[in-house]
Amino acid sequence: MSRANFKGMSKWLACLLAAAIVAMPLAAVAQTKIVYHSNKFKPTDDVKLGRQAAAEAEQQFPQLRDSEVTAYVERVGQRLVASIPAEFQHAEFRYYFKVLNASDINAFALPGGPMYVNRGMIEAARTEGEMAGVMAHELSHVALRHGTAQATKAQKYAVGAGIAGILGTILAGPTVGQLAQLPIGAYFLKYSREYETEADLLGSRIMANAGTIRVTSPTCFARSRRRAVAVVVS
């Protein structure tokens, strides 16, 4: 497959995910009960693990040094966080949003709240809603505590040594060259179909609560998108 075809397919898949979240019937969302999975870890463990993993991620990937784009993504993200249903809110979590200077069409969130949106995701999104839909899906994995629930399900780590053990697993591996190769992604982002479905359902609820989504004006989104694109040609 050529690079152009691959890029086109990646963009199509990302946009399809966002569209599916926005278009999902609210009646179906309301009728589907989402519950937490068994988890040996405390919410404070999610926070500790997420902070350590975020520090590692920021050492390996350059951030986009554009305060306007970063502030815009932060505003969209915080509106989504405020729209998480009360039963999935965690007082311990600290959500924040940063933009990586990477062309991959991707975004990922870590336990406890850190979230990273690629420049390529902003470039590929046609509307603010498409970008927000992907962000809402990733935030849902955090709110549902899927990362540590998955570690619990694997039954590989004792509770006392869980944080150190999981970090050793997700941060080990070959030299990272692309976001998709990040060990964090290999562990936390390879969720089961059940987890992905739950994130779709909760993500659609978040989008509905946020107004599906008009955090800022279309002009603001367009300006931020242009600034992200400008990084490539500057």
Side-chain angles (χ1 to χ4, degrees), residues 22-103:
V22 174
M24 186 175 292
L26 294 182
V29 175
Q31 293 172 7
T32 305
K33 185 174 179 61
I34 308 173
V35 297
Y36 289 110
H37 292 269
S38 176
N39 199 322
K40 294 181 178 180
F41 300 94
K42 297 178 294 185
T44 51
D45 291 332
D46 290 50
V47 174
K48 182 177 179 180
L49 176 58
R51 286 177 179 172
Q52 294 182 49
E56 178 69 16
E58 291 179 21
Q59 288 180 357
Q60 301 194 47
F61 294 100
Q63 295 184 49
L64 185 71
R65 302 300 179 184
D66 188 304
S67 59
E68 182 174 325
V69 175
T70 300
Y72 167 72
V73 172
E74 177 74 22
R75 288 196 300 273
V76 173
Q78 292 302 337
R79 173 68 180 274
L80 293 170
V81 170
S83 302
I84 296 174
E87 62 268 33
F88 300 114
Q89 293 276 4
H90 304 279
E92 302 89 346
F93 287 8
R94 294 293 180 268
Y95 292 93
Y96 62 82
F97 303 82
K98 296 186 178 182
V99 181
L100 299 180
N101 191 10
S103 61

Side-chain angles (χ1 to χ4, degrees), residues 60-177:
Q60 301 194 47
F61 294 100
Q63 295 184 49
L64 185 71
R65 302 300 179 184
D66 188 304
S67 59
E68 182 174 325
V69 175
T70 300
Y72 167 72
V73 172
E74 177 74 22
R75 288 196 300 273
V76 173
Q78 292 302 337
R79 173 68 180 274
L80 293 170
V81 170
S83 302
I84 296 174
E87 62 268 33
F88 300 114
Q89 293 276 4
H90 304 279
E92 302 89 346
F93 287 8
R94 294 293 180 268
Y95 292 93
Y96 62 82
F97 303 82
K98 296 186 178 182
V99 181
L100 299 180
N101 191 10
S103 61
D104 309 64
I105 302 173
N106 206 353
F108 67 94
L110 297 168
M115 182 170 184
Y116 298 87
V117 177
N118 278 16
R119 169 176 54 79
M121 181 72 251
I122 300 172
E123 293 170 359
R126 295 170 298 180
T127 65
E128 183 178 81
E130 286 185 350
M131 183 185 75
V134 174
M135 292 173 67
H137 175 92
E138 299 303 328
L139 283 175
S140 295
H141 284 303
V142 177
L144 292 168
R145 304 186 61 212
H146 280 165
T148 47
Q150 182 161 282
T152 299
K153 188 175 181 179
Q155 297 182 342
K156 293 182 178 179
Y157 310 104
V159 174
I163 297 299
I166 293 173
L167 277 176
T169 298
I170 66 176
L171 300 183
T175 302
V176 178

Side-chain angles (χ1 to χ4, degrees), residues 214-233:
R214 292 296 291 275
V215 179
T216 54
S217 69
T219 301
C220 184
F221 170 75
R223 184 171 65 249
S224 295
R225 186 176 184 276
R226 286 195 300 270
R227 289 178 69 91
V229 172
V231 172
V232 181
V233 297

Side-chain angles (χ1 to χ4, degrees), residues 169-194:
T169 298
I170 66 176
L171 300 183
T175 302
V176 178
Q178 301 178 22
L179 182 59
Q181 295 174 324
L182 184 64
I184 296 169
Y187 190 86
F188 280 112
L189 304 188
K190 287 186 177 178
Y191 293 119
S192 68
R193 181 175 298 179
E194 179 183 18

